[in-house]
Amino acid sequence: MNIRTPRGVALACASLVTLLGTGMSMIVFWAYDVAAPPQAVALGALGLFALSIAVIYSAIERFIYQKVRIIYKNIHRFKSTKERARDVHMGEDVMEKVRLDVMDWATEKIQEISLLKEQDTFRQEFIGNLAHELKTPVFNIQGYILTLLEGALEDPEHNRKFLMKAAKNVDRMAGLIDDLDVITKIEGGSLDLNLSVFDLGHLVREVMDQLEQKAKRAGISVVFVDDGPRKIEVKGDAPKIEQVITNLITNSLRYGKEVGGTTQVRCYDMEEQVLVEVADDGIGMSEEHLPRIFERFYRVDKSRSRNAGGSGLGLAIVKHIIEAHDQSISVRSTLGRGSTFSFTLSKR
Ligand SMILES: Nc1ncnc2c1ncn2[C@@H]1O[C@H](COP(=O)(O)OP(=O)(O)OP(=O)(O)O)[C@@H](O)[C@H]1O
Ligand SMILES: [Mg+2]
């Protein structure tokens, strides 16, 4: 008889009641000199035991069921409480079971709370960063417009220049909003990949053509080190991979050598994958920044990238796109020597 279980307690109580009842009856019989046959005593004791066990058992069951139901109701917010309370068996250690269930519930809640706190900090940081990024172009635009209104509009030498500068800042804001749109879509899981097999070499050459003017202005030559006209077939979302390559090459121009730099794009044929490398001989980064450069809004040299118009979203988008393809991206860099970004793509 295990008195940790309600059944054990009911049995113990009923035995005690039977023992006391029978004992007292014997005393009464003895005091009044009643000769009770032993069979009658045994039958009475058995009846008393059956009656008391029925009463005590059902009382305990009702009591426990009610209490446990309240506990489950509170911790599971009315969710299948009846089933859970009915799950309680009289033959088991009810309190231990409830204690374990409450502990599970508490652990789950603690995890939920820390996740919510994390998300809240992330939201606050995100909004803070965003406000910070928008502040500069908005204040610039405000400044140019005010200057124009205060008289520069009539000054043929400056009016066009100020308007061009305002337009540049509007472009910067538009770019930032586009990037934000992409990043929120990816993170919200609503950006579906449109997979197809395409020629990566062709895509790289297209991106290089689009960036030709930018590269010229930056004084950097972009070269594609490929081995001939052979197709490099990969499976992926071509426009998104184009965005990845565009971001990486743009970074190599932005953070490249002041004059005479070179950016090399290479594709390595691996068994199941193709490894793409974008390597520059620019300003590079010191080791401590490398684990963080794929975070949103992270910039190594804030003043330099701000001058270059960067907001620190490019690599975050790149990483999201590559990971959405179940592939990976990494970076090697030496301060003053250059950086190499490499990512993989699946062949099929
Ligand atoms: N090729 C590179 N060489 C040196 N530093 C780089 C290179 N690429 C990126 N970085 C550093 O990593 C930071 C993050 O890059 P990321 O592309 O995310 O942002 P960004 O270029 O500043 O802005 P944008 O959102 O317009 O791309 C950059 O600000 C820069 O400091
Ligand atoms: Mg960038």
Side-chain angles (χ1 to χ4, degrees):
M1 186 166 35
N2 181 0
I3 55 159
R4 280 169 175 276
T5 69
R7 188 177 293 153
V9 172
L11 272 171
C13 291
S15 308
L16 198 65
V17 168
T18 312
L19 216 65
L20 283 174
T22 317
M24 277 171 66
S25 313
M26 299 287 281
I27 292 169
V28 172
F29 290 157
W30 175 74
Y32 289 95
D33 208 11
V34 179
Q39 292 95 325
V41 175
L43 209 65
L46 208 65
L48 183 61
F49 183 75
L51 186 72
S52 49
I53 192 122
V55 172
I56 295 169
Y57 191 90
S58 69
I60 292 180
E61 192 177 34
R62 259 178 80 95
F63 177 78
I64 288 180
Y65 182 67
Q66 273 178 3
K67 296 286 173 201
V68 166
R69 232 183 100 174
I70 293 170
I71 295 174
Y72 280 125
K73 212 173 192 164
N74 280 326
I75 67 175
H76 294 291
R77 293 270 153 218
F78 305 101
K79 203 170 63 187
S80 62
T81 50
K82 280 191 179 160
E83 289 72 19
R84 278 175 184 275
R86 274 190 198 124
D87 257 4
V88 169
H89 296 296
M90 297 291 277
E92 64 187 4
D93 188 345
V94 178
M95 287 308 141
E96 183 59 12
K97 183 177 187 302
V98 172
R99 189 183 72 82
L100 290 177
D101 276 353
V102 170
M103 292 251 295
D104 281 351
W105 168 79
T107 320
E108 202 181 293
K109 289 291 149 196
I110 289 169
Q111 279 168 353
E112 256 174 48
I113 291 170
S114 52
L115 185 72
L116 286 175
K117 276 188 182 162
E118 226 172 76
Q119 285 175 345
D120 194 45
T121 323
F122 164 73
R123 247 193 304 274
Q124 279 177 8
E125 260 178 33
F126 192 76
I127 293 172
N129 282 326
L130 186 60
H132 188 75
E133 290 307 323
L134 286 172
K135 216 156 59 185
T136 319
V138 168
F139 285 171
N140 286 350
I141 295 167
Q142 198 179 33
Y144 294 127
I145 291 178
L146 267 179
T147 321
L148 284 166
L149 287 176
E150 281 165 4
L153 195 60
E154 279 76 39
D155 171 0
E157 214 180 290
H158 289 109
N159 54 11
R160 198 172 175 80
K161 202 169 91 191
F162 285 157
L163 270 176
M164 297 268 282
K165 285 191 170 175
K168 208 170 167 194
N169 279 280
V170 171
D171 283 350
R172 183 169 161 186
M173 264 170 64
L176 178 64
I177 287 162
D178 273 349
D179 282 353
L180 276 172
D181 193 39
V182 175
I183 221 163
T184 40
K185 271 193 185 139
I186 298 176
E187 288 180 1
S190 68
L191 196 81
D192 295 328
L193 292 183
N194 205 346
L195 297 180
S196 65
V197 176
F198 61 91
D199 178 10
L200 186 65
H202 179 70
L203 191 90
V204 170
R205 284 187 202 94
E206 256 182 21
V207 174
M208 281 168 55
D209 282 349
Q210 284 161 21
L211 294 176
E212 200 183 332
Q213 290 306 316
K214 230 183 203 169
K216 249 190 203 142
R217 264 179 272 139
I220 289 172
S221 58
V222 184
V223 289
F224 183 29
V225 189
D226 63 343
D227 41 347
R230 195 175 50 92
K231 274 191 178 178
I232 310 166
E233 284 199 330
V234 289
K235 189 176 178 190
D237 185 317
K240 300 213 169 62
I241 299 303
E242 182 179 334
Q243 193 175 358
V244 167
I245 299 169
T246 307
N247 279 351
L248 294 179
I249 298 183
T250 308
N251 276 354
S252 78
L253 304 179
R254 225 179 234 174
Y255 312 107
K257 240 189 207 165
E258 290 290 336
V259 270
T262 310
T263 296
Q264 296 190 333
V265 185
R266 276 196 177 83
C267 295
Y268 296 97
D269 195 344
M270 300 186 344
E271 233 159 76
E272 310 260 303
Q273 294 159 308
V274 172
L275 178 79
V276 188
E277 259 190 18
V278 179
D280 64 59
D281 51 2
I283 59 172
M285 291 166 270
S286 54
E287 184 102 29
E288 83 243 33
H289 296 291
L290 300 185
R292 298 202 59 191
I293 53 163
F294 295 101
E295 288 175 16
R296 309 167 200 81
F297 297 113
Y298 189 81
R299 285 171 307 203
V300 173
D301 178 352
K302 296 202 166 44
S303 59
R304 176 164 177 155
S305 40
R306 171 138 329 138
N307 289 341
S311 55
L313 287 175
L315 287 179
I317 293 175
V318 163
K319 188 164 198 252
H320 274 307
I321 294 177
I322 296 299
E323 284 180 353
H325 282 78
D326 284 330
Q327 300 296 315
S328 58
I329 179 157
S330 62
V331 58
R332 308 189 296 275
S333 190
T334 314
L335 191 65
R337 287 265 185 94
S339 317
T340 302
F341 286 84
S342 355
F343 65 93
T344 54
L345 281 175
S346 172
K347 282 194 191 166
R348 61 199 85 251

